[in-house]
Amino acid sequence: MGMGSHNNSDRGTMSQINVTPLVDVMLVLLVIFMVTAPMMQQGVQVNLPKADTKALPAQEETVIVSIDKGNRLFINKEPVAGTELRSRLTAIFANRTKKEVFLKADQDVPYGEVVKTMAEIKGAGIERLGMVTEPAGRR
């Protein structure tokens, strides 16, 4: 009899494994992957043969989305409201072939804001997102 009740209590503790830390680890890995994947692609793309440059249509200017210390958003140098970011990017890239945006965030911007902005950029149909980082010396 004593043995039976012992087994039951064992099963009870087994079913209560805490999954939360695993979820946290997965999220962190996902974010790291989202950030590093575009960087890896960037490294590969630099070595294109120079001869092809003439064949490209009018050189499309690089689009840089910036977040400043006050969490204000800019497309290149032009201020844009957070709610308008997705629609503005969609308009800019409507007739472009290379859907690529660089994201430049001030080091004081909370990480959550950066992730939210990345989600908006992805939502605008942008296929490649590069991170622009300031050299550590410039403060």
Side-chain angles (χ1 to χ4, degrees):
M1 188 69 190
M3 287 295 281
S5 60
H6 179 70
N7 281 348
N8 280 350
S9 66
D10 261 12
R11 203 171 303 140
T13 46
M14 276 304 288
S15 63
Q16 289 172 337
I17 292 173
N18 193 354
V19 199
T20 321
L22 294 177
V23 176
D24 288 347
V25 171
M26 286 302 291
L27 282 173
V28 170
L29 287 175
L30 181 67
V31 168
I32 291 172
F33 178 73
M34 280 169 61
V35 173
T36 50
M39 287 181 188
M40 289 183 217
Q41 287 175 340
Q42 229 116 14
V44 175
Q45 264 207 315
V46 179
N47 309 323
L48 288 177
K50 291 282 178 281
D52 292 351
T53 44
K54 292 181 200 69
L56 285 176
Q59 194 56 51
E60 300 169 340
E61 72 165 325
T62 310
V63 177
I64 300 179
V65 175
S66 316
I67 316 175
D68 72 359
K69 278 189 172 71
N71 286 358
R72 288 177 309 205
L73 289 170
F74 298 85
I75 296 180
N76 292 347
K77 295 274 181 284
E78 197 182 332
V80 57
T83 49
E84 290 170 21
L85 179 66
R86 188 183 293 212
S87 53
R88 291 283 291 280
L89 285 175
T90 308
I92 292 172
F93 285 96
N95 46 18
R96 289 194 180 201
T97 46
K98 208 170 95 185
K99 299 194 186 317
E100 179 177 47
V101 165
F102 290 96
L103 178 61
K104 183 177 169 185
D106 190 278
Q107 61 186 11
D108 297 333
V109 174
Y111 198 65
E113 285 300 312
V114 179
V115 173
K116 209 162 71 182
T117 308
M118 283 165 70
E120 285 296 309
I121 293 171
K122 290 269 187 217
I126 307 306
E127 291 154 9
R128 304 208 21 251
L129 176 64
M131 303 291 281
V132 183
T133 51
E134 297 276 304
R138 287 169 58 191
R139 293 251 161 121

